[in-house]
Amino acid sequence: MDINKSEFIISAVKPAQYPNDNKREIAFVGRSNAGKSSLINAITNRRKLAKTSSTPGKTRLVNFFLINDILYFVDLPGYGYAKVSKSEKKNWGKVIETYLVNREQLKKVVLLVDCRHKPTNDDVIMYDWIKYYNYEPVVVATKSDKVSNNQLFKNMKLIRQTLGMEKHEKILPFSALNKKGKEEILEVIFDEE
Ligand code: GTP
Ligand code: MG
């Protein structure tokens, strides 16, 4: 399935603002700068649907996008950005946690990891979290255009090992630059259609 309609709905500060029409939701999480907003733009074929930036910390609220009128993409603030104050970090953690706990409509959580780096402690915590709350984890190794195929293969193995992924769980390479891996991601996202 392709995405032919995508619409920004709301940047939610609090849960009362989340959409409540019971459409299913796919959330995108990961370190700040991992490429969450870029991935959303790439797979919706929209250059500026989600705000991106080379300065980490661009996404600070819970952003909902209505996709093909049937489900929501949820762009979450990134974690692990060193240059923010402790209180701000705490606040971001709260924003993410408030959304992720007991969100019945949430079907899958896509965890983005920069394919050049070993997942951090925060990534491992995030992955464990997704599993703990019984959401289906989908791991995406981003920025594949920045490494050779050989390196990508090696790093994906390292990502799998570091997160402690189970065999049946998916890890998908992706580049927002050349859109390699887009079809596979769409397939996973729409597999309930
Ligand atoms: P926060 O909103 O801070 O959590 O970051 P984010 O995860 O949404 O990252 P964002 O999409 O804003 O991308 C961060 C930077 O990485 C930007 O400069 C993007 O252009 C760049 N980037 C993202 N994806 C790719 C990719 O696949 N390839 C390359 N080469 N650069 C990418
Ligand atoms: Mg972002």
Side-chain angles (χ1 to χ4, degrees):
M1 181 180 251
D2 218 353
I3 295 173
N4 46 40
K5 192 172 173 194
S6 48
E7 193 184 343
F8 169 73
I9 301 296
I10 191 168
S11 269
V13 182
K14 48 178 198 256
Q17 297 175 311
Y18 299 166
N20 62 359
D21 53 0
N22 262 319
K23 292 188 170 70
R24 57 198 175 85
E25 295 172 358
I26 312 276
F28 297 86
V29 299
R31 294 191 73 193
S32 195
N33 222 35
K36 298 174 290 298
S37 303
S38 300
L39 180 143
I40 289 176
N41 289 340
I43 67 174
T44 54
N45 304 308
R46 297 274 301 272
R47 288 222 313 231
K48 289 182 181 165
L49 183 63
K51 289 196 184 97
T52 65
S53 168
S54 53
T55 315
K58 187 71 190 171
T59 310
R60 299 200 174 199
L61 302 170
V62 182
N63 297 297
F64 290 84
F65 303 93
L66 181 58
I67 305 299
N68 284 357
D69 288 324
I70 52 168
L71 58 81
Y72 291 102
F73 281 178
V74 185
D75 189 15
L76 289 163
Y79 48 78
Y81 177 44
K83 286 185 191 157
V84 297
S85 67
K86 255 194 181 159
S87 66
E88 219 174 337
K89 268 187 195 161
K90 215 171 153 187
N91 184 46
W92 286 3
K94 262 214 172 115
V95 169
I96 298 171
E97 189 169 343
T98 302
Y99 169 71
L100 284 181
V101 175
N102 299 327
R103 184 74 180 158
E104 222 170 279
Q105 304 91 308
L106 180 56
K107 301 302 174 197
K108 287 177 190 174
V109 182
V110 183
L111 172 60
L112 282 77
V113 183
D114 188 322
C115 78
R116 295 168 296 174
H117 310 301
K118 187 178 170 190
T120 62
N121 240 344
D122 286 337
D123 291 323
V124 177
I125 291 169
M126 192 68 237
Y127 173 82
D128 288 343
W129 245 79
I130 296 168
K131 307 261 299 185
Y132 179 82
Y133 285 100
N134 282 320
Y135 302 121
E136 183 186 333
V138 178
V139 179
V140 170
T142 62
K143 311 192 184 185
S144 65
D145 54 277
K146 288 183 182 265
V147 297
S148 68
N149 271 342
N150 189 28
Q151 196 65 47
L152 178 64
F153 192 76
K154 269 192 201 153
N155 290 7
M156 279 173 49
K157 207 169 156 191
L158 178 69
I159 292 169
R160 246 186 198 287
Q161 279 168 353
T162 311
L163 295 178
M165 289 176 68
E166 292 176 50
K167 269 217 172 84
H168 70 272
E169 289 170 351
K170 289 207 168 95
I171 174 163
L172 305 165
F174 180 71
S175 163
L177 208 71
N178 59 32
K179 298 200 180 181
K180 259 192 196 163
K182 181 182 155 187
E183 294 309 319
E184 289 79 0
I185 289 175
L186 287 176
E187 220 168 89
V188 170
I189 286 173
F190 289 109
D191 75 351
E192 280 161 50
E193 290 306 306

